[in-house]
Each structure stands twice: as structure tokens, then as C-alpha cells.
Amino acid sequence: MKTTLLKNALLLSIGSVSNAFAASGAREDNSGLFVWIFLGFCALIVIAQLMPVVLLLFGFAKGLSKDKAAEPQTVKSK
């Protein structure tokens, strides 16, 4: 009985806490169209730099997944 009473008191005290430190309003962002165009251009550069890396990793994975049987090779001397 005591634990239930204690749990209820704890939940009641936590649930009644007000948002004293909450922000009063949303932050205003005065970024214009040119800022968003610039950020989009930066993202385009990052994506263009990452595409060859991804293709290279796929090439490595493809090369490692191939079943390579060792074929005997003859050595030719001059």
C-alpha cells in the first residue's frame, strides 16, 4: 500500500511540473531565397563528391564477392 501511495505521489509531483523554462515563441529565421539556393548548391557539391566513393565501394564489394578459382599459370622465361 505504501509503495502505491509513494508511486502515485511521485507521478503527481512529476506530472504537475510546469514548463517554466520553455521558449515563448518560435525562432524567426530571416533567411532569404539566396541562402536556401546557396545551401542547396553546397548539398549538391557534397553529393557529387560522395557518388564516386559509393561506386568504388560497390566495385570492391563486387570484386570480393566473385568466386575466384585459382588457375595454374605457367611461367615463361626468356
Side-chain angles (χ1 to χ4, degrees):
M1 184 75 177
K2 284 187 177 183
T3 59
T4 308
L5 183 63
L6 185 62
K7 286 180 186 178
N8 287 341
L10 183 64
L11 287 175
L12 186 61
S13 65
I14 291 174
S16 65
V17 174
S18 65
N19 51 0
F21 298 111
S24 61
R27 186 179 70 89
E28 261 187 59
D29 190 11
N30 294 327
S31 300
L33 179 65
F34 291 112
V35 172
W36 290 108
I37 290 173
F38 174 73
L39 290 174
F41 186 69
C42 291
L44 186 67
I45 290 173
V46 169
I47 295 298
Q49 292 290 323
L50 287 177
M51 276 188 355
V53 173
V54 171
L55 292 175
L56 186 67
L57 288 175
F58 279 134
F60 280 150
K62 186 177 176 183
L64 289 175
S65 67
K66 282 186 180 177
D67 187 24
K68 296 182 180 180
E71 298 178 7
Q73 297 179 351
T74 58
V75 178
K76 296 179 183 177
S77 61
K78 290 185 180 183

